Amino acid sequence: MRKYEDTYRHKGLRKKLMDVLKDKGITDNNVLAAMNNIPRHFFLDSAFDEIAYEDRAFPISEGQTISQPYTVAYQTQLLQVKPFDKILEIGTGSIYQATVLAEMGAKVFTIERQKVLFEKTKNYIFKTTYPNLKFFFGDGYEGLPTFAPFDKVIITAAAPFIPPKLIEQLKAGGKMVVPLNEGEHQRMLRITKNVDGGGGTTEEAFQNFSFVPMLTGKQG
Ligand code: SAH
């Protein structure tokens, strides 16, 4: 059985990581406070314990990655999370991003297409801490029509196009943050559904990132 310990050393490294994120331009204190509260090393294989607080992505299982802390902070900041926001996340992966959103008081619905990763969510260490975080096995392109509409949607894999069903499942005035393929990289977009109820959207483009691909269908 793995022992989960959040030592003073871990806490110190985490605080330093928050300074790094601030230096890189993250200004939302709610995002920084949430990330400072969450032991990122719990979401990685224990072999990575010592380096969990470097600002880099790491492999988890099934050829997937836990996003770089800067990327998590950046996407979360763009999402403008408020307590009780109903948020749909595509790509549960390590559950780290979903935990950050849950720590900020959002109601989080996260979908994973890989069965092995979804099964791991059953042993999620913070299950009782965050009853506001719910896990689903499915294809993110379909979203979760039963639970729609959402205030926010966050896609944490490289999208080849903006999934139309996810736009449908956004509330009027709702926001989606999505890394959209553009050659070798992805351009981070924030899409706001217009408040007039006509279903139109407004797009803002931000900097480039590099994500694992958003694939179709379920696996396993
Ligand atoms: N948010 C994650 C990032 C994981 S990487 C974290 O904090 O660790 C992206 C994840 O998206 C992978 O686990 C991958 O399996 C998943 N994914 C890719 N395409 C998907 C789809 N269509 N629906 C749901 N999940 C998908």
Side-chain angles (χ1 to χ4, degrees), residues 47-48 52 75 84 110 113 119 138 154 160 163 168 191 197 212 218 220:
F48 295 113
Q75 285 198 283
F84 309 110
T110 182
R113 68 177 286 282
E119 289 298 328
I154 176 171
E168 274 170 35
I191 296 165
V212 295
K218 291 187 271 193

Side-chain angles (χ1 to χ4, degrees), residues 2-140:
R2 173 157 174 201
K3 218 165 114 197
Y4 288 98
E5 266 184 310
D6 192 25
T7 62
Y8 280 109
R9 179 176 155 71
H10 289 120
K11 289 186 170 84
L13 290 171
R14 199 148 69 234
K15 193 133 199 0
K16 278 198 187 130
L17 174 59
M18 296 312 119
D19 292 336
V20 170
L21 298 179
K22 268 190 235 170
D23 286 347
K24 289 186 176 177
I26 302 299
T27 52
D28 185 332
N29 285 325
N30 293 329
V31 173
L32 293 165
M35 289 180 70
N36 194 43
N37 281 341
I38 298 165
R40 183 173 190 248
H41 63 286
F42 288 6
F43 296 79
L44 296 166
D45 193 281
S46 55
F48 295 113
D49 206 81
E50 286 299 306
I51 48 177
Y53 296 102
E54 289 177 16
D55 188 21
R56 44 180 283 211
F58 290 105
I60 51 173
S61 60
E62 310 314 303
Q64 301 304 321
T65 55
I66 176 171
S67 301
Q68 185 182 343
Y70 175 65
T71 307
V72 171
Y74 195 94
Q75 285 198 283
T76 310
Q77 176 164 291
L78 283 182
L79 212 53
Q80 299 171 331
V81 179
K82 293 196 285 291
F84 309 110
D85 267 354
K86 214 171 130 185
I87 304 183
L88 174 64
E89 183 199 27
I90 311 303
T92 310
S94 70
I95 329 180
Y96 179 70
Q97 170 72 73
T99 303
V100 172
L101 298 171
E103 170 70 16
M104 294 179 79
K107 285 183 266 177
V108 186
F109 300 76
T110 182
I111 312 180
E112 174 56 55
R113 68 177 286 282
Q114 293 219 40
K115 193 64 181 263
V116 176
L117 293 176
F118 172 72
E119 289 298 328
K120 286 189 179 178
T121 66
K122 294 182 177 153
N123 302 319
Y124 178 47
I125 178 176
F126 294 123
K127 200 163 255 183
T128 53
T129 315
Y130 302 113
N132 51 329
L133 170 49
K134 304 259 188 295
F135 300 103
F136 298 85
F137 174 53
D139 179 359

Side-chain angles (χ1 to χ4, degrees), residues 135-150:
F135 300 103
F136 298 85
F137 174 53
D139 179 359
Y141 283 99
E142 300 299 319
L144 288 174
T146 328
F147 296 93
F150 297 95

Side-chain angles (χ1 to χ4, degrees), residues 169-200:
Q169 291 173 31
L170 260 187
K171 286 184 191 169
K175 288 182 197 301
M176 175 190 294
V177 172
V178 48
L180 188 71
N181 274 348
E182 203 176 75
E184 308 244 302
H185 295 277
Q186 293 85 47
R187 167 83 58 186
M188 194 65 77
L189 298 183
R190 178 166 59 193
I191 296 165
T192 304
K193 196 162 177 180
N194 297 343
V195 285
D196 61 14

